[in-house]
Amino acid sequence: MAGLRLGPLLRYTDGASATVWIEASRPCTAEVRCSDGARGEARTFQIEGHHYALVPVTGLTPGTAASYEVLLDGARVWPLPDSRFPPSVIRTPADGDGLRVAFGSCRWAAPAADGHDPVGPDALDTLAARIAADPEGERPDVLLLLGDQVYADETSDATRRWLAARRGPTGPSPRSRLRSNREDPIGSEVADYEEYTRLYYESWLDPEVRWLLSTVPSCMIFDDHDVVDDWNTSAAWLTDMRATDWWQHRLLSGLMSYWVHQHLGNLSPDELAADPLFAAVRATCDGTEVLRAFAAEADADPAAAHWSYRRDFGRVRVLMVDSRAARVLDEDSRAMLHPGAAKWLREQALDGPGSYDHLLIGTSLPWLLPHLVHDAETWNAALCRGEKGARWARFGEDMRRRADLEHWAAFPASFEALAELIAEAGSGPGAPATVCVLSGDVHHAYIAEAEWPSPAGRGSPDARVLQLTCSPVHNSVPLSMRLGFRFGWSAAARALGRRFARHGRCPRPPVNWRRAGGPWFGNQLMTLTLHGRSARLRLEQAVRGGRPRLRTVVESELAP
């Protein structure tokens, strides 16, 4: 009899349909039955000995909430027996409904030892507990998880023990790690697809998170730790990684596991039905080689895979942007997005002028950084291009890796192109009320507001333009970095940054910005509440005090 190994995850929803992702213990038919009569079923497909299904559910009624159960070959496997959580539900929006979007990034899923969590309460755990305690109360309509859903290179003590036991004295081991340039004796990083599945089990079998993901739809995108720290930071970095004897297998396994666990659920039922890779994987008894060939092609040519996607929630448009695998790394043509990906982003942002009230651009890496950090990254990019000669270029590459100088500012042409696109999308008749860039990565939260200097061109757009950064969901940041980020917004830091920029002959950016809130440190989530042309933002942090709870740090009206 088939059992439920992982899931269910409620992924895509609209007014009439949804998708539910599961992993089963053996080949079977997965079925979702809703209390209002809606249903769907799908046969599992196989990757590396694991059996998955993405079940399209149809017949839903807009503006309702229906509880659901999951059956495998006719036997009910969800809800779990004796579950302490309320029933999982599929809520479908109705025309004119508002939208509540919760977002964050960087969830290190390490089980607490003896009840003590070394990095503090998990914001997703705490959100789940609050919703479970009041199922009819406020909850997000969608979770945007902006990268580092798993940490392939920073594993927990429990996973390290599991890796050591699995590998034994002759098992697979990641070798020649770039930073240490020696074999890791305890094999603390994942090496293959099976070990990636361990990371997802550790993260998504957490009881609170498992229930939360079963009842709140989610959109996901990767960041570096889903593969390895500094993934695709530069051409020289990639050359060094490809010279190791473990990188190729790690990368292909990372892309394969991301496609299965995260990417498929980002797509609508219509997109899934038209996806040739999904069709090819399901058409074989074992789709492993089909998927591995796709991952190898994506590694060889970033344009061969398209990880970005668009979701429209009524009059709110969400563009989730791949800012890792889509990069062009050659120093002479360095770009955050290859030409095809940049063209897609532009087309989606400008499609149907006046057709949305709010544009949300989800990119794991912040577009607007503290001014000192921005100027340091543009200066570093100039050094690495050779603007100051070969010796400075070598210095710049070493600094880029050590200091993680790889955000949008480190790709100056892409930074400017995004600024131009946002200004265009936010201007003219039918302009949205807000354009918000949602990001994570930097292990703190802040709000930055952008404006365009009038003498340089068109002036500021009609929309209010904001960088909303929220990280981590569950991780930590050392004191030195906290102090550095606080200093990075100061007037003194801004003056210092301009000196770096002048040394690198870097032009001033085409957009100005100011800090409008933060920085805030802790395990946290931001929530945008959008209704018509109004927008409110709330930042909540998970805090101890009896049972962990979410404490509101700030609430702000972004658009009245």
Side-chain angles (χ1 to χ4, degrees), residues 458-502:
R458 75 176 81 219
S460 291
D462 302 290
R464 190 176 186 192
V465 178
L466 297 153
Q467 168 73 62
L468 305 177
T469 301
C470 184
S471 169
V473 168
H474 185 236
N475 214 309
S476 62
V477 60
L479 178 61
S480 60
M481 289 182 65
R482 294 186 184 215
L483 296 174
F485 280 122
R486 289 188 186 279
F487 174 70
W489 287 108
S490 68
R494 190 164 194 172
L496 177 60
R498 291 313 304 162
R499 295 191 68 176
F500 281 125
R502 285 194 294 272

Side-chain angles (χ1 to χ4, degrees), residues 383-384 389-400:
L383 298 186
C384 293
R391 192 174 78 167
W392 276 104
R394 290 191 296 271
F395 169 78
E397 176 63 26
D398 182 67
M399 174 180 286
R400 176 155 61 189

Side-chain angles (χ1 to χ4, degrees), residues 224-343:
D224 55 344
H225 290 285
D226 289 79
V227 175
V228 70
D229 188 28
D230 298 340
W231 177 27
N232 280 348
T233 193
S234 68
W237 178 92
L238 186 58
T239 297
D240 287 346
M241 296 300 279
R242 285 176 169 166
T244 68
D245 58 3
W246 60 269
W247 168 248
Q248 182 74 1
H249 198 55
R250 159 81 76 83
L251 177 65
L252 298 191
S253 297
L255 293 178
M256 292 168 67
S257 66
Y258 173 78
W259 184 87
V260 169
H261 293 83
Q262 298 188 50
H263 179 69
L264 279 179
N266 294 328
L267 306 180
S268 70
D270 288 345
E271 289 170 322
L272 287 167
D275 189 313
L277 176 60
F278 190 43
V281 166
R282 290 183 299 155
T284 65
C285 61
D286 184 345
T288 302
E289 292 309 316
V290 173
L291 185 55
R292 182 176 288 116
F294 164 79
E297 187 179 2
D299 174 38
D301 178 11
H306 185 73
W307 303 109
S308 300
Y309 57 98
R310 166 179 159 178
R311 293 286 307 276
D312 286 345
F313 299 88
R315 290 186 58 82
V316 177
R317 179 164 300 171
V318 178
L319 302 178
M320 294 286 274
V321 180
D322 163 22
S323 50
R324 280 290 169 188
R327 296 179 176 186
V328 176
L329 298 179
D330 182 81
E331 293 296 343
D332 293 330
S333 55
R334 185 171 165 85
M336 184 69 83
L337 306 176
H338 63 74
K343 179 184 178 185

